[in-house]
Amino acid sequence: QVQVVESGGALVQAGESLTLSCSVSGLSFDDYTMGWFRQTPGKDREAVSCLSLNGLYTYYADSVKGRFTISRDNAQLTVTLQMSLLKPEDTATYYCAASSINDYVADDYVPTQSYEYNYWGQGTQVTVSS
């Protein structure tokens, strides 16, 4: 059984930093691209940052470039999102997801659409106060 579990969400003030962690079990972690998405009420889920299965290729939404950093530890089966200089507009539920799409496409393709991801966590809330 595949499990994707996020942790680290919190209430912080604007300008502060926060690190989200995602622990995965039940799948061959090395074979999955990992992504962080976020969603606010009434809006579609959007990709924040995604990282290829080999860790070489990344995607960052324009709104988080230079502030967020994604990383993975294939030995520990974890993916981390380091967030700095947080803004109130970063407030959302953050989801970790795993994609096996690279079974069918080149390793340098980084999926950014929700439908490209197979497994999802339950989400962790990040609230940034002004």
Side-chain angles (χ1 to χ4, degrees), residues 1 14 22 28 35 83 91:
Q1 181 180 357
C22 174
S28 181
M83 306 184 292
T91 295

Side-chain angles (χ1 to χ4, degrees), residues 40-54:
T40 54
K43 292 190 176 181
D44 291 336
R45 193 169 296 188
E46 64 169 353
V48 175
S49 183
C50 308
L51 181 60
S52 65
L53 52 89
N54 57 16

Side-chain angles (χ1 to χ4, degrees), residues 56-74:
L56 295 179
Y57 306 100
T58 57
Y59 164 83
Y60 291 97
D62 288 343
S63 58
V64 307
K65 281 181 181 176
R67 300 188 298 120
F68 289 13
T69 301
I70 191 171
S71 61
R72 65 188 293 161
D73 186 333
N74 284 359

Side-chain angles (χ1 to χ4, degrees), residues 1-8 19-29 32 34-36 71-81 94-98 119-124:
Q1 181 180 357
V2 176
Q3 288 191 316
V4 179
V5 181
E6 306 97 336
S7 61
T19 297
L20 303 183
S21 296
C22 174
S23 177
V24 180
S25 62
L27 55 74
S28 181
F29 188 73
Y32 283 76
M34 299 301 299
W36 284 98
S71 61
R72 65 188 293 161
D73 186 333
N74 284 359
Q76 297 295 321
L77 311 186
T78 58
V79 59
T80 299
L81 185 68
Y94 283 71
Y95 297 89
C96 178
Y119 301 104
W120 293 84
Q122 79 289 349
T124 187

